[in-house]
Amino acid sequence: MIAFQGVSKSYGGSVALHPTELAVKKGEFLSLLGPSGSGKSTILNIIAGAVAPSTGNIALDGRDVSTVPPRARGLGMVFQNYALLPHLNVFDNVAFPLRIRGISKSEIAQRVKNALERVGLVGYENRKPREMSGGQQQRVGIARCIVYSPSVILMDEPLGALDKKLRDQLQGEIKRLHRDLGTTLVYVTHDQEEALNLSDRVCLMNGGRIAQLGTPDELYFEPVSEFVADFVGESNLLEGVVQGDNAVRLTDGTTLQVRSTEGHATGSAVKVLVRPEKISVLGDSDTEGASAANSNLYRGTIGQTSFIGGMTRFELKLSTGAALLVKTISSRAAERAAPGDVLSVRWSARDSVVLKK
Ligand code: ADP
């Protein structure tokens, strides 16, 4: 549906986007995720036609649109600041894109009604934007975008100005809307949870390049680099050297069983990713025989702990000097491990992912 061929953007001597190949499939929900300044908005604005690329071509549905002006591209846009017209009521804001397309009055009435139904705002037609909450204003923004059935919808941090609860709620609504409409949707966010929750695929950006493009599962469980592992979710990254098949010798001298060392030569320096929730705490009676093949057993002293509701995070200082971040389902304070306690943990080789250093 959207294809970038060698698309890049420079401002003077500084590169906002290195030459990029990108293909967004029809009907797909693709998020552009990444830290501030990584090139997310540049990609979105190049698709929209608001920014002209320095090199390369862009095709929409098989048609080269590189020289087509924004309005003629037939895209829908949703902005972080809603961009509603303050002097117009909800009906007229949503009707606006239809009026400029010269659509008849009766069809406008019908289409606006449908769009407002989809975002749960029937009955709000006569309100002015200032008489509505942020969440409601963004629903108007979404209704105004879907009212003319664009084949591609672009959303630029649409929930960035809302508080967490409302963000969660609108995420659910956007997900449902995408499922119902089947429109291709490109969504910019710097919030990795939002990207993982919403998207069919996530395009993670770093320094004007694609760091990884894949399903949320692939980014989380099979990151291709330390940057991806670190940006998506929390991680332990243990330094070591490949020792042979599926084993890595850590700098502390211990040997770790890993999922696979394929693609990494024996003797090469690597980092091993272990997600903190994949580490299980063992009771005293569990430790015998726990160092079975395909699992890793370590013993350490609890450092700082933090209780974050359903989960508890703690640091486990190993006798070798390394520290692990561990995340477990919370128990009540009296039963929770406290700083200074000594305990054993284990994780499976399957949950140890080898990354190039
Ligand atoms: P993101 O959306 O990921 O925060 P952007 O795509 O907005 O990042 O920006 C990528 C890089 O391009 C940044 O370093 C930014 O400073 C630079 N940049 C963006 N727009 C302009 C501009 N109009 N002039 C100069 N530099 C720009």
Side-chain angles (χ1 to χ4, degrees), residues 5-283:
Q5 273 187 336
V7 172
S8 74
K9 180 69 191 176
S10 302
Y11 293 98
S14 83
V15 180
L17 184 68
H18 292 272
T20 297
E21 312 296 315
L22 175 67
V24 185
K25 300 174 204 163
K26 202 168 199 138
E28 175 173 45
F29 195 127
L30 181 101
S31 288
L32 294 164
L33 174 69
S36 178
S38 59
K40 308 181 293 292
S41 304
T42 300
I43 291 185
L44 200 78
N45 287 324
I46 288 175
I47 298 172
V51 164
S54 306
T55 65
N57 294 301
I58 308 123
L60 286 179
D61 211 6
R63 181 171 72 118
D64 191 317
V65 294
S66 305
T67 55
V68 174
R71 194 170 277 173
R73 294 191 184 190
L75 309 167
M77 254 333 256
V78 176
F79 304 92
Q80 178 173 3
N81 62 4
Y82 323 131
L84 303 177
L85 296 164
H87 57 286
L88 296 183
N89 66 21
V90 167
F91 183 95
D92 289 331
N93 264 286
V94 176
F96 188 76
L98 301 177
R99 293 212 167 103
I100 58 176
R101 284 169 174 79
I103 289 170
S104 74
K105 228 173 172 174
S106 59
E107 192 176 344
I108 288 179
Q110 189 54 45
R111 288 226 219 160
V112 170
K113 183 165 170 275
N114 287 345
L116 290 177
E117 269 169 7
R118 286 211 182 268
V119 298
L121 281 184
V122 172
Y124 288 82
E125 289 80 355
N126 295 319
R127 294 262 191 114
K128 291 277 171 60
R130 65 168 183 279
E131 297 162 347
M132 307 180 89
S133 70
Q136 288 170 333
Q137 289 187 52
Q138 194 53 296
R139 287 197 184 94
V140 178
I142 293 170
R144 180 189 52 188
C145 168
I146 63 176
V147 76
Y148 57 97
S149 309
S151 53
V152 174
I153 294 177
L154 308 176
M155 296 194 178
D156 194 358
E157 303 245 9
L159 310 182
L162 305 174
D163 64 45
K164 167 121 181 69
K165 232 186 172 128
L166 208 51
R167 241 177 17 233
D168 290 348
Q169 191 187 339
L170 266 126
Q171 264 180 42
E173 291 179 24
I174 289 174
K175 207 167 166 172
R176 178 179 49 74
L177 200 66
H178 173 254
R179 217 177 31 230
D180 293 350
L181 297 175
T183 312
T184 309
L185 206 155
V186 182
Y187 189 100
V188 167
T189 180
H190 62 264
D191 179 341
Q192 44 113 357
E193 282 183 17
E194 195 166 286
L196 295 182
N197 173 28
L198 288 174
S199 322
D200 297 314
R201 288 193 304 160
V202 178
C203 179
L204 177 58
M205 300 297 299
N206 185 24
R209 293 180 208 274
I210 297 177
Q212 188 168 354
L213 174 60
T215 63
D217 241 49
E218 284 165 349
L219 264 76
Y220 191 78
F221 293 110
E222 290 157 39
V224 297
S225 66
E226 185 177 347
F227 172 81
V228 180
D230 226 21
F231 196 86
V232 180
E234 291 187 297
S235 50
N236 290 292
L237 290 160
L238 310 171
E239 286 190 41
V241 170
V242 176
Q243 201 175 32
D245 271 356
N246 307 337
V248 169
R249 190 173 178 80
L250 299 186
T251 45
D252 63 20
T254 59
T255 297
L256 204 59
Q257 305 299 318
V258 299
R259 187 198 292 172
S260 166
T261 44
E262 209 182 309
H264 304 275
T266 300
S268 61
V270 292
K271 285 199 175 180
V272 180
L273 163 71
V274 186
R275 295 290 185 193
E277 73 281 3
K278 294 292 184 189
I279 301 177
S280 14
V281 175
L282 301 178

